[in-house]
Amino acid sequence: MASYIKARLKAGIKPISIERELTHLSVLFKKIPLLDPSLKDLKNPALQYDKDLLKSTDKQKIELHKKREFRLSAEDEEKLMTVLSKHKNPEMKQIVLLALYTAMRRSEILTLTWEQIKDTYIQLYITKSGKPRKVFLTKEAQELLKTIPRTDERVFHYKIQGFEGSFNKLLKDNGLSHIRFHDFRRESISRFVERFGLNSSVFLTEALGIQNVAKFEELHGNRTVKLDDEEDLKRNVGHSSKQLTKLYSNLRTE
């Protein structure tokens, strides 16, 4: 196990990522006796390793917790949309726009089915937080979805890896490599904050206090989902804590 850890570190894998890998390996070894009872006394090597090997350096700790201070400039957005409009596959631009309109993650968008899309919200069942959530659809998002033809149950037809490769190539070929797809999620959340949160009595620094706006309610049926406070905004963007949501919001300082 020590050799495995050293090899992963040498390959440039971050300690926190290796810890996640070890967690998965540990689960695997715990299940082995269920497959073969004769191995019930097998020790779990993923629990027996030198913890000092994965101690992060000060630099790694800073990089892990440092907030990515990035906002999509008007110039970059205009250039990107021009490039996307010329792309042979219209889904590329639709996916980017939906990310900007909803703050959804790439995987959430690429795995969307039409059954998940309601009049005023998108119902997500599998999320990073592990909790189902409803995503508010702005008028822009609703209009965008109306322009997408229904050919089968899937909204988009890119595979996650295929989209990532095509999108990164598009950025590189057009001098936009400083943009990451995840930046659209950050930008969307920041725009929500600027649009609704600046006049909130609970809005201090970058806290996402939002009042007097439609409130997102996790209800079934035809009732409208709305957004009113920080708890609902956290559910909308798929975070379980205010601290995580805060890390995604960047106010413009210009």
Side-chain angles (χ1 to χ4, degrees):
M1 196 54 63
S3 297
Y4 171 80
I5 293 172
K6 291 176 181 178
R8 297 297 283 161
L9 289 171
K10 187 175 181 180
I13 307 302
K14 296 179 180 179
I16 191 171
S17 297
I18 298 174
E19 287 179 354
R20 282 196 290 265
E21 294 175 355
L22 293 175
T23 298
H24 292 310
L25 285 172
S26 177
V27 172
L28 172 64
F29 278 100
K30 286 179 181 179
K31 290 182 179 293
I32 287 178
L34 299 177
L35 302 175
D36 186 346
S38 68
L39 297 174
K40 64 180 181 178
D41 295 325
L42 179 70
K43 292 183 179 180
N44 190 336
L47 296 177
Q48 302 168 344
Y49 63 90
D50 185 357
K51 302 297 191 295
D52 288 340
L53 290 174
L54 290 178
K55 280 188 176 179
S56 299
T57 64
D58 289 342
K59 181 179 180 181
Q60 289 171 327
K61 291 177 182 177
I62 292 172
E63 290 301 317
L64 175 63
H65 297 288
K66 187 167 62 177
K67 180 178 174 182
R68 176 167 162 78
E69 297 289 348
F70 178 87
R71 291 299 303 267
L72 187 64
S73 69
E75 295 76 15
D76 278 348
E77 185 170 1
E78 181 179 1
K79 182 177 181 180
L80 177 61
M81 291 305 157
T82 298
V83 170
L84 288 171
S85 295
K86 297 177 181 179
H87 195 274
K88 61 182 181 181
N89 189 340
E91 287 191 3
M92 181 75 75
K93 183 177 181 179
Q94 294 162 351
I95 290 168
V96 170
L97 286 175
L98 193 58
L100 281 171
Y101 293 156
T102 65
M104 289 172 64
R105 297 179 176 89
R106 178 182 56 193
S107 60
E108 295 169 344
I109 294 175
L110 293 176
T111 56
L112 264 183
T113 63
W114 289 108
E115 181 271 334
Q116 293 175 260
I117 301 175
K118 314 302 179 183
D119 289 339
T120 58
Y121 66 93
I122 291 175
Q123 178 65 62
L124 295 179
Y125 301 105
I126 301 175
T127 66
K128 186 176 181 179
S129 66
K131 300 177 181 179
R133 79 176 193 274
K134 291 179 172 65
V135 176
F136 174 65
L137 288 176
T138 60
K139 290 183 178 178
E140 294 91 342
Q142 293 178 40
E143 291 302 315
L144 170 66
L145 290 169
K146 290 177 182 178
T147 67
I148 302 174
R150 299 194 183 199
T151 57
D152 53 42
E153 64 178 12
R154 294 186 60 190
V155 180
F156 302 110
H157 299 85
Y158 274 106
K159 299 294 184 182
I160 292 179
Q161 290 185 336
F163 175 83
E164 182 179 14
S166 297
F167 184 69
N168 289 340
K169 184 177 186 305
L170 178 142
L171 294 178
K172 183 178 180 180
D173 291 346
N174 291 277
L176 294 168
S177 294
H178 56 286
I179 297 176
R180 305 173 188 171
F181 188 87
H182 204 64
D183 289 331
F184 303 138
R185 175 171 166 78
R186 296 176 183 275
E187 181 66 25
S188 179
I189 294 173
S190 296
R191 290 179 182 183
F192 268 111
V193 173
E194 291 178 338
R195 183 176 178 182
F196 300 120
L198 291 179
N199 295 321
S200 171
S201 62
V202 297
F203 188 84
L204 299 173
T205 65
E206 292 180 274
L208 303 182
I210 297 177
Q211 296 181 351
N212 300 322
V213 216
K215 180 182 180 181
F216 279 112
E217 297 175 345
E218 295 186 357
L219 298 175
H220 302 283
N222 296 323
R223 295 184 62 181
T224 303
V225 199
K226 300 178 180 179
L227 183 118
D228 186 37
D229 55 28
E230 292 182 6
E231 289 302 313
D232 295 306
L233 182 58
K234 285 190 299 178
R235 284 198 295 271
N236 183 55
V237 299
H239 286 155
S240 58
S241 71
K242 293 181 181 180
Q243 192 61 37
L244 273 177
T245 304
K246 177 180 171 62
L247 289 174
Y248 277 77
S249 61
N250 292 326
L251 298 184
R252 293 191 188 277
T253 56
E254 300 172 356

